[in-house]
Amino acid sequence: MMIQDEPFLAPIVRKIRLLGTLLVLATVFVLVGMTFSPLQVNAATMQEQPSIAQVSVKPTNKPTVRIPKFDSKKVFLGITPTGWSNSDDPSIDLVPPIPYRQIFSEMALAGFKGSQMSGKYPQDLTELKKELGLRGLTISEPWVGTYFTIGDKTDSQKIFDQQLAFMKSIGGDTIVVAELGGAVHQQPIAPLPNRPIFNDTQWKALTDGLNDLGKQAHDAGMKLVYHPHVGTGVETMADIDRLMTGTNPQYLSLLLDTGHLYYAGVNPLEVTQKYADRIKHVHLKNIRKPIYEQSKTDGLSFLNSIRAGVFTVPGDKEGDIDFKPILDRLALAKYEGWLIVEAEQDPNKANPLQYALMARTYLKQVTGL
Protein backbone atom coordinates (compact mmCIF):
# COMPACT_ATOMS: atom_id res chain seq x y z
CA MET A 1 0.00 0.00 0.00
CA MET A 2 1.44 3.35 -1.07
CA ILE A 3 1.12 6.34 1.32
CA GLN A 4 0.21 8.63 -1.52
CA ASP A 5 -2.67 6.30 -2.31
CA GLU A 6 -3.91 6.67 1.28
CA PRO A 7 -3.13 10.26 2.38
CA PHE A 8 -4.92 9.87 5.72
CA LEU A 9 -2.39 7.17 6.77
CA ALA A 10 0.74 9.29 6.27
CA PRO A 11 0.74 10.99 9.71
CA ILE A 12 0.24 7.66 11.48
CA VAL A 13 3.14 6.05 9.62
CA ARG A 14 5.45 8.95 10.44
CA LYS A 15 4.61 8.61 14.15
CA ILE A 16 5.29 4.88 14.04
CA ARG A 17 8.70 5.48 12.38
CA LEU A 18 9.57 8.17 14.98
CA LEU A 19 8.66 5.87 17.86
CA GLY A 20 10.75 3.12 16.35
CA THR A 21 13.75 5.41 16.06
CA LEU A 22 13.42 6.51 19.68
CA LEU A 23 13.15 2.91 20.82
CA VAL A 24 16.33 2.00 18.97
CA LEU A 25 18.22 4.95 20.51
CA ALA A 26 17.04 4.08 24.02
CA THR A 27 18.19 0.51 23.56
CA VAL A 28 21.62 1.71 22.40
CA PHE A 29 21.97 4.03 25.41
CA VAL A 30 21.10 1.22 27.82
CA LEU A 31 23.59 -1.15 26.21
CA VAL A 32 26.34 1.47 26.26
CA GLY A 33 25.64 2.26 29.92
CA MET A 34 25.81 -1.42 30.86
CA THR A 35 29.04 -1.83 28.93
CA PHE A 36 30.97 1.15 30.31
CA SER A 37 29.54 1.77 33.80
CA PRO A 38 32.22 0.85 36.41
CA LEU A 39 29.65 0.20 39.15
CA GLN A 40 26.57 -1.97 39.25
CA VAL A 41 23.99 0.25 40.88
CA ASN A 42 21.05 -1.53 42.44
CA ALA A 43 17.95 -0.13 44.03
CA ALA A 44 19.32 -0.38 47.56
CA THR A 45 22.46 1.53 46.57
CA MET A 46 20.44 4.24 44.93
CA GLN A 47 18.41 4.68 48.09
CA GLU A 48 21.60 5.25 50.09
CA GLN A 49 22.77 8.15 47.94
CA PRO A 50 22.10 11.53 49.59
CA SER A 51 20.08 14.01 47.65
CA ILE A 52 21.40 17.46 46.77
CA ALA A 53 19.20 18.89 49.49
CA GLN A 54 20.87 16.62 52.04
CA VAL A 55 24.47 17.54 51.19
CA SER A 56 24.00 21.21 50.48
CA VAL A 57 24.98 23.67 53.22
CA LYS A 58 22.36 26.30 53.66
CA PRO A 59 23.70 29.85 53.79
CA THR A 60 23.52 31.61 57.15
CA ASN A 61 23.26 35.26 58.01
CA LYS A 62 25.60 34.83 61.01
CA PRO A 63 29.00 36.47 60.40
CA THR A 64 32.07 34.25 60.41
CA VAL A 65 34.11 34.85 63.56
CA ARG A 66 37.82 34.71 62.87
CA ILE A 67 40.11 34.40 65.86
CA PRO A 68 43.15 36.64 65.31
CA LYS A 69 46.48 34.90 65.08
CA PHE A 70 49.55 35.76 67.09
CA ASP A 71 52.15 38.01 65.53
CA SER A 72 55.13 35.71 64.94
CA LYS A 73 57.47 38.71 65.29
CA LYS A 74 56.15 39.50 68.76
CA VAL A 75 55.20 36.12 70.24
CA PHE A 76 57.82 33.44 70.94
CA LEU A 77 57.67 29.80 72.00
CA GLY A 78 59.91 28.48 74.75
CA ILE A 79 60.08 25.53 77.11
CA THR A 80 61.37 25.05 80.65
CA PRO A 81 63.99 22.39 81.43
CA THR A 82 61.69 20.73 83.99
CA GLY A 83 60.87 17.86 81.63
CA TRP A 84 64.56 16.95 81.56
CA SER A 85 65.65 17.92 85.06
CA ASN A 86 63.89 19.51 88.05
CA SER A 87 65.66 22.22 90.03
CA ASP A 88 63.22 21.81 92.96
CA ASP A 89 63.83 18.06 93.10
CA PRO A 90 67.26 16.88 91.83
CA SER A 91 66.14 13.27 92.28
CA ILE A 92 63.94 13.67 89.20
CA ASP A 93 66.58 13.01 86.56
CA LEU A 94 68.20 10.16 84.69
CA VAL A 95 71.22 8.28 86.00
CA PRO A 96 73.66 9.64 84.99
CA PRO A 97 71.93 13.06 84.84
CA ILE A 98 70.99 14.55 81.46
CA PRO A 99 73.74 17.07 80.52
CA TYR A 100 72.66 20.63 79.82
CA ARG A 101 74.02 20.52 76.26
CA GLN A 102 71.61 17.69 75.48
CA ILE A 103 68.77 19.69 77.02
CA PHE A 104 69.59 22.71 74.86
CA SER A 105 69.94 20.59 71.73
CA GLU A 106 66.63 18.80 72.23
CA MET A 107 64.83 22.08 72.94
CA ALA A 108 66.12 23.47 69.66
CA LEU A 109 65.39 20.24 67.80
CA ALA A 110 61.78 20.39 68.98
CA GLY A 111 61.47 23.91 67.55
CA PHE A 112 61.62 26.15 70.62
CA LYS A 113 63.48 29.45 70.86
CA GLY A 114 64.00 29.97 74.55
CA SER A 115 64.21 28.45 78.01
CA GLN A 116 63.72 29.51 81.59
CA MET A 117 67.02 29.89 83.44
CA SER A 118 68.11 26.88 85.50
CA GLY A 119 70.74 26.07 88.08
CA LYS A 120 71.77 23.22 85.80
CA TYR A 121 72.85 25.62 83.07
CA PRO A 122 76.28 27.27 82.99
CA GLN A 123 76.37 30.18 85.43
CA ASP A 124 79.23 31.77 83.52
CA LEU A 125 77.53 34.19 81.15
CA THR A 126 80.06 33.78 78.35
CA GLU A 127 79.71 30.01 78.28
CA LEU A 128 75.92 30.21 78.62
CA LYS A 129 75.57 32.62 75.69
CA LYS A 130 77.87 30.47 73.56
CA GLU A 131 75.92 27.26 74.15
CA LEU A 132 72.57 28.96 73.64
CA GLY A 133 73.74 30.80 70.52
CA LEU A 134 74.94 27.58 68.88
CA ARG A 135 71.36 26.35 68.97
CA GLY A 136 69.49 29.58 68.30
CA LEU A 137 68.17 29.78 71.86
CA THR A 138 67.93 32.45 74.52
CA ILE A 139 66.76 32.75 78.13
CA SER A 140 63.10 33.72 78.44
CA GLU A 141 63.12 34.57 82.16
CA PRO A 142 64.84 34.16 85.50
CA TRP A 143 63.08 33.48 88.81
CA VAL A 144 62.93 35.99 91.66
CA GLY A 145 61.61 34.79 95.02
CA THR A 146 60.63 37.60 97.38
CA TYR A 147 60.03 37.55 101.14
CA PHE A 148 58.20 40.81 101.79
CA THR A 149 55.50 39.18 103.93
CA ILE A 150 58.03 37.99 106.49
CA GLY A 151 59.85 41.32 106.64
CA ASP A 152 62.83 40.41 104.48
CA LYS A 153 62.97 43.33 102.09
CA THR A 154 66.77 43.36 101.89
CA ASP A 155 67.17 39.83 100.50
CA SER A 156 64.24 40.37 98.16
CA GLN A 157 65.97 43.43 96.70
CA LYS A 158 69.29 41.60 96.45
CA ILE A 159 67.80 38.69 94.51
CA PHE A 160 65.97 41.09 92.22
CA ASP A 161 69.15 43.10 91.52
CA GLN A 162 71.02 39.94 90.56
CA GLN A 163 68.35 38.79 88.13
CA LEU A 164 67.88 42.26 86.65
CA ALA A 165 71.60 42.44 85.88
CA PHE A 166 71.48 38.93 84.43
CA MET A 167 68.59 39.73 82.09
CA LYS A 168 70.30 42.94 80.95
CA SER A 169 73.34 40.88 80.04
CA ILE A 170 71.37 38.14 78.28
CA GLY A 171 69.26 40.65 76.35
CA GLY A 172 65.84 39.73 77.77
CA ASP A 173 63.06 41.92 79.12
CA THR A 174 61.02 39.70 81.49
CA ILE A 175 61.53 38.92 85.18
CA VAL A 176 59.29 36.41 86.96
CA VAL A 177 58.55 37.03 90.62
CA ALA A 178 56.64 35.15 93.34
CA GLU A 179 56.27 35.78 97.07
CA LEU A 180 57.74 32.84 99.00
CA GLY A 181 57.14 34.04 102.52
CA GLY A 182 55.63 31.06 104.35
CA ALA A 183 55.52 28.95 101.15
CA VAL A 184 55.00 25.19 101.59
CA HIS A 185 55.39 23.86 98.03
CA GLN A 186 58.78 22.34 98.84
CA GLN A 187 57.74 20.93 102.21
CA PRO A 188 56.51 17.33 102.76
CA ILE A 189 52.91 18.43 103.37
CA ALA A 190 49.80 18.90 101.24
CA PRO A 191 50.13 22.35 99.64
CA LEU A 192 46.51 23.47 99.33
CA PRO A 193 45.30 23.17 102.95
CA ASN A 194 48.62 24.32 104.42
CA ARG A 195 49.52 27.30 102.28
CA PRO A 196 50.01 30.69 104.02
CA ILE A 197 47.15 33.16 104.40
CA PHE A 198 48.36 36.76 104.48
CA ASN A 199 46.90 39.32 106.84
CA ASP A 200 46.31 42.95 105.86
CA THR A 201 49.74 44.04 107.04
CA GLN A 202 51.43 41.34 104.97
CA TRP A 203 49.38 42.21 101.92
CA LYS A 204 50.42 45.84 102.26
CA ALA A 205 54.08 44.86 102.55
CA LEU A 206 53.75 42.61 99.50
CA THR A 207 52.00 45.09 97.20
CA ASP A 208 54.28 47.96 98.23
CA GLY A 209 57.35 45.81 97.68
CA LEU A 210 56.18 44.60 94.28
CA ASN A 211 55.31 48.11 93.16
CA ASP A 212 58.81 49.19 94.14
CA LEU A 213 60.53 46.35 92.28
CA GLY A 214 58.18 46.81 89.34
CA LYS A 215 59.11 50.47 89.01
CA GLN A 216 62.79 49.54 89.03
CA ALA A 217 62.16 47.00 86.29
CA HIS A 218 60.09 49.50 84.30
CA ASP A 219 62.81 52.15 84.56
CA ALA A 220 65.32 49.57 83.28
CA GLY A 221 63.14 48.80 80.25
CA MET A 222 61.88 45.49 81.62
CA LYS A 223 58.62 44.03 82.88
CA LEU A 224 58.01 42.34 86.20
CA VAL A 225 55.40 39.55 86.00
CA TYR A 226 53.87 37.90 89.04
CA HIS A 227 53.54 34.11 89.20
CA PRO A 228 50.62 32.80 91.32
CA HIS A 229 52.05 29.55 92.67
CA VAL A 230 50.65 26.49 94.44
CA GLY A 231 51.60 26.39 98.12
CA THR A 232 52.12 30.16 98.44
CA GLY A 233 50.03 33.07 99.68
CA VAL A 234 48.97 34.02 96.16
CA GLU A 235 47.29 31.09 94.44
CA THR A 236 43.47 31.52 94.48
CA MET A 237 41.26 33.80 92.39
CA ALA A 238 40.63 36.00 95.42
CA ASP A 239 44.41 36.28 95.96
CA ILE A 240 44.97 37.25 92.34
CA ASP A 241 42.20 39.85 92.45
CA ARG A 242 43.67 41.41 95.57
CA LEU A 243 47.16 41.44 94.09
CA MET A 244 46.00 43.04 90.85
CA THR A 245 43.91 45.63 92.71
CA GLY A 246 46.73 46.56 95.06
CA THR A 247 49.49 46.97 92.47
CA ASN A 248 50.18 49.46 89.70
CA PRO A 249 49.45 47.99 86.23
CA GLN A 250 52.33 50.05 84.90
CA TYR A 251 54.77 48.29 87.21
CA LEU A 252 53.41 44.78 87.77
CA SER A 253 51.93 42.41 85.22
CA LEU A 254 50.51 38.90 85.59
CA LEU A 255 52.05 35.60 84.61
CA LEU A 256 49.40 33.14 83.46
CA ASP A 257 50.39 29.66 84.61
CA THR A 258 47.58 27.32 83.55
CA GLY A 259 48.76 24.35 85.62
CA HIS A 260 49.20 26.20 88.91
CA LEU A 261 45.82 27.88 88.51
CA TYR A 262 44.09 24.56 87.80
CA TYR A 263 45.85 22.91 90.75
CA ALA A 264 44.62 25.70 93.05
CA GLY A 265 41.05 25.27 91.82
CA VAL A 266 41.08 28.33 89.56
CA ASN A 267 39.80 28.29 85.98
CA PRO A 268 42.70 29.43 83.72
CA LEU A 269 40.27 30.67 81.06
CA GLU A 270 38.47 32.84 83.61
CA VAL A 271 41.75 34.46 84.63
CA THR A 272 42.66 34.96 80.97
CA GLN A 273 39.36 36.64 80.22
CA LYS A 274 39.48 38.85 83.29
CA TYR A 275 43.11 39.96 83.10
CA ALA A 276 43.99 39.65 79.42
CA ASP A 277 45.32 43.21 79.38
CA ARG A 278 47.71 42.53 82.30
CA ILE A 279 48.99 39.11 81.23
CA LYS A 280 52.51 39.62 79.87
CA HIS A 281 54.00 36.15 80.28
CA VAL A 282 52.53 32.65 79.95
CA HIS A 283 53.41 29.19 81.25
CA LEU A 284 51.47 26.46 79.44
CA LYS A 285 51.28 23.58 81.91
CA ASN A 286 48.77 20.71 81.63
CA ILE A 287 47.23 18.52 84.36
CA ARG A 288 46.49 14.81 84.50
CA LYS A 289 43.18 15.04 86.35
CA PRO A 290 43.07 11.50 87.87
CA ILE A 291 46.51 11.98 89.42
CA TYR A 292 45.57 15.47 90.59
CA GLU A 293 42.41 14.21 92.29
CA GLN A 294 44.26 11.31 93.89
CA SER A 295 46.99 13.66 95.09
CA LYS A 296 44.40 15.77 96.89
CA THR A 297 42.65 12.72 98.34
CA ASP A 298 45.92 11.26 99.62
CA GLY A 299 47.25 14.60 100.84
CA LEU A 300 50.41 14.36 98.74
CA SER A 301 53.01 17.08 98.91
CA PHE A 302 53.54 19.19 95.82
CA LEU A 303 56.79 17.39 94.98
CA ASN A 304 55.26 13.95 95.52
CA SER A 305 52.39 14.97 93.26
CA ILE A 306 54.96 15.86 90.60
CA ARG A 307 56.70 12.52 91.11
CA ALA A 308 53.33 10.82 90.61
CA GLY A 309 52.99 12.54 87.23
CA VAL A 310 50.40 15.24 87.87
CA PHE A 311 51.80 17.56 85.19
CA THR A 312 52.15 17.11 81.44
CA VAL A 313 52.44 19.24 78.32
CA PRO A 314 49.81 20.90 76.11
CA GLY A 315 48.71 18.47 73.42
CA ASP A 316 48.91 15.40 75.66
CA LYS A 317 45.59 13.53 75.46
CA GLU A 318 45.99 12.62 79.13
CA GLY A 319 45.83 16.30 80.05
CA ASP A 320 42.58 17.95 81.15
CA ILE A 321 43.14 21.59 80.15
CA ASP A 322 41.68 22.91 76.89
CA PHE A 323 44.30 25.40 75.76
CA LYS A 324 42.67 26.59 72.56
CA PRO A 325 40.13 29.03 74.06
CA ILE A 326 42.84 30.37 76.37
CA LEU A 327 45.21 30.98 73.49
CA ASP A 328 42.44 32.39 71.31
CA ARG A 329 41.59 34.91 74.03
CA LEU A 330 45.22 35.93 74.35
CA ALA A 331 45.46 36.38 70.60
CA LEU A 332 42.31 38.48 70.65
CA ALA A 333 43.97 40.71 73.24
CA LYS A 334 47.01 41.01 70.92
CA TYR A 335 49.27 39.30 73.44
CA GLU A 336 53.00 39.88 72.98
CA GLY A 337 55.75 37.93 74.71
CA TRP A 338 56.67 34.35 75.54
CA LEU A 339 54.47 31.27 75.52
CA ILE A 340 56.46 28.84 77.65
CA VAL A 341 55.70 25.13 77.76
CA GLU A 342 56.22 23.82 81.27
CA ALA A 343 55.70 20.36 82.68
CA GLU A 344 57.62 18.94 85.61
CA GLN A 345 57.95 15.29 84.59
CA ASP A 346 60.23 12.41 85.47
CA PRO A 347 62.37 11.69 82.38
CA ASN A 348 62.53 8.05 83.47
CA LYS A 349 58.79 7.85 82.75
CA ALA A 350 58.25 10.54 80.10
CA ASN A 351 60.84 10.96 77.35
CA PRO A 352 61.64 14.71 77.38
CA LEU A 353 62.17 15.09 73.63
CA GLN A 354 59.00 13.14 72.84
CA TYR A 355 56.90 15.42 75.03
CA ALA A 356 58.62 18.57 73.77
CA LEU A 357 57.77 17.56 70.20
CA MET A 358 54.22 16.72 71.27
CA ALA A 359 53.75 20.19 72.73
CA ARG A 360 55.38 21.96 69.78
CA THR A 361 53.22 20.10 67.25
CA TYR A 362 50.05 20.97 69.18
CA LEU A 363 50.96 24.65 69.52
CA LYS A 364 51.66 24.86 65.80
CA GLN A 365 48.14 23.55 65.17
CA VAL A 366 46.34 25.93 67.53
CA THR A 367 48.45 29.08 67.18
CA GLY A 368 50.03 28.86 63.74
CA LEU A 369 53.41 29.77 65.27
Side-chain angles (χ1 to χ4, degrees), residues 77-99:
L77 296 180
I79 189 168
T80 70
T82 53
W84 288 265
S85 179
N86 195 317
S87 298
D88 290 335
D89 184 359
S91 70
I92 302 179
D93 207 331
L94 299 184
V95 179
I98 304 174

Side-chain angles (χ1 to χ4, degrees), residues 198-263:
F198 300 150
N199 58 36
D200 291 344
T201 301
Q202 289 175 308
W203 271 108
K204 182 70 165 55
L206 175 59
T207 54
D208 286 351
L210 291 173
N211 278 329
D212 184 22
L213 295 185
K215 185 178 186 305
Q216 295 177 50
H218 178 268
D219 292 345
M222 298 195 184
K223 54 190 176 186
L224 187 68
V225 294
Y226 192 91
H227 187 335
H229 197 289
V230 169
T232 72
V234 182
E235 67 172 26
T236 69
M237 192 69 188
D239 298 333
I240 295 169
D241 287 340
R242 185 162 185 175
L243 182 73
M244 293 293 96
T245 300
T247 52
N248 188 333
Q250 186 177 10
Y251 299 145
L252 186 71
S253 299
L254 181 64
L255 184 153
L256 178 75
D257 188 305
T258 56
H260 278 273
L261 291 173
Y262 184 112
Y263 202 113

Side-chain angles (χ1 to χ4, degrees), residues 34-345:
M34 292 176 62
T35 302
F36 293 99
S37 175
L39 298 175
Q40 297 296 319
V41 181
N42 55 32
T45 304
M46 292 176 66
Q47 290 175 358
E48 293 173 1
Q49 303 305 310
S51 66
I52 294 178
Q54 288 175 308
V55 298
S56 296
V57 178
K58 294 181 179 179
T60 177
N61 294 326
K62 294 182 180 179
T64 301
V65 178
R66 297 186 182 277
I67 299 298
K69 295 296 184 181
F70 292 104
D71 185 340
S72 61
K73 295 181 180 179
K74 298 178 179 179
V75 179
F76 316 100
L77 296 180
I79 189 168
T80 70
T82 53
W84 288 265
S85 179
N86 195 317
S87 298
D88 290 335
D89 184 359
S91 70
I92 302 179
D93 207 331
L94 299 184
V95 179
I98 304 174
Y100 77 84
R101 289 187 178 89
Q102 179 181 338
I103 297 175
F104 285 164
S105 294
E106 292 187 357
M107 286 176 172
L109 179 62
F112 292 99
K113 297 299 181 183
S115 169
Q116 184 183 71
M117 186 54 181
S118 168
K120 190 165 189 175
Y121 297 166
Q123 302 304 298
D124 178 78
L125 194 59
T126 300
E127 182 182 358
L128 177 63
K129 284 185 173 181
K130 176 184 175 182
E131 296 295 339
L132 290 170
L134 284 172
R135 299 162 178 84
L137 298 173
T138 189
I139 296 297
S140 57
E141 81 254 30
W143 173 270
V144 172
T146 57
Y147 301 88
F148 294 119
T149 58
I150 57 174
D152 198 343
K153 187 175 181 178
T154 301
D155 277 352
S156 299
Q157 182 68 54
K158 180 180 179 181
I159 297 169
F160 172 80
D161 289 341
Q162 291 172 344
Q163 298 304 337
L164 180 65
F166 170 75
M167 286 309 285
K168 281 184 178 180
S169 299
I170 208 72
D173 68 353
T174 303
I175 299 175
V176 173
V177 62
E179 173 63 24
L180 300 183
V184 300
H185 63 287
Q186 290 183 319
Q187 297 184 26
I189 55 178
L192 298 182
N194 294 294
R195 63 105 175 194
I197 304 295
F198 300 150
N199 58 36
D200 291 344
T201 301
Q202 289 175 308
W203 271 108
K204 182 70 165 55
L206 175 59
T207 54
D208 286 351
L210 291 173
N211 278 329
D212 184 22
L213 295 185
K215 185 178 186 305
Q216 295 177 50
H218 178 268
D219 292 345
M222 298 195 184
K223 54 190 176 186
L224 187 68
V225 294
Y226 192 91
H227 187 335
H229 197 289
V230 169
T232 72
V234 182
E235 67 172 26
T236 69
M237 192 69 188
D239 298 333
I240 295 169
D241 287 340
R242 185 162 185 175
L243 182 73
M244 293 293 96
T245 300
T247 52
N248 188 333
Q250 186 177 10
Y251 299 145
L252 186 71
S253 299
L254 181 64
L255 184 153
L256 178 75
D257 188 305
T258 56
H260 278 273
L261 291 173
Y262 184 112
Y263 202 113
V266 181
N267 185 341
L269 179 58
E270 181 183 350
V271 175
T272 307
Q273 293 169 334
K274 189 171 186 177
Y275 293 110
D277 61 331
R278 287 190 74 171
I279 294 172
K280 303 300 179 185
H281 199 65
V282 178
H283 286 177
L284 300 172
K285 187 199 301 279
N286 211 344
I287 292 271
R288 293 184 175 95
K289 187 175 181 179
I291 298 177
Y292 165 69
E293 296 291 354
Q294 193 63 47
S295 295
K296 290 196 301 179
T297 299
D298 294 346
L300 294 186
S301 69
F302 188 62
L303 292 181
N304 279 337
S305 183
I306 290 174
R307 295 184 185 109
V310 69
F311 293 129
T312 185
V313 300
D316 186 352
K317 294 181 180 179
E318 294 183 353
D320 194 51
I321 297 177
D322 183 1
F323 288 89
K324 188 176 187 306
I326 297 170
L327 292 166
D328 285 347
R329 184 64 186 86
L330 288 172
L332 191 64
K334 300 187 184 303
Y335 172 81
E336 297 178 6
W338 286 95
L339 299 174
I340 303 293
V341 171
E342 183 179 31
E344 293 91 339
Q345 297 200 91

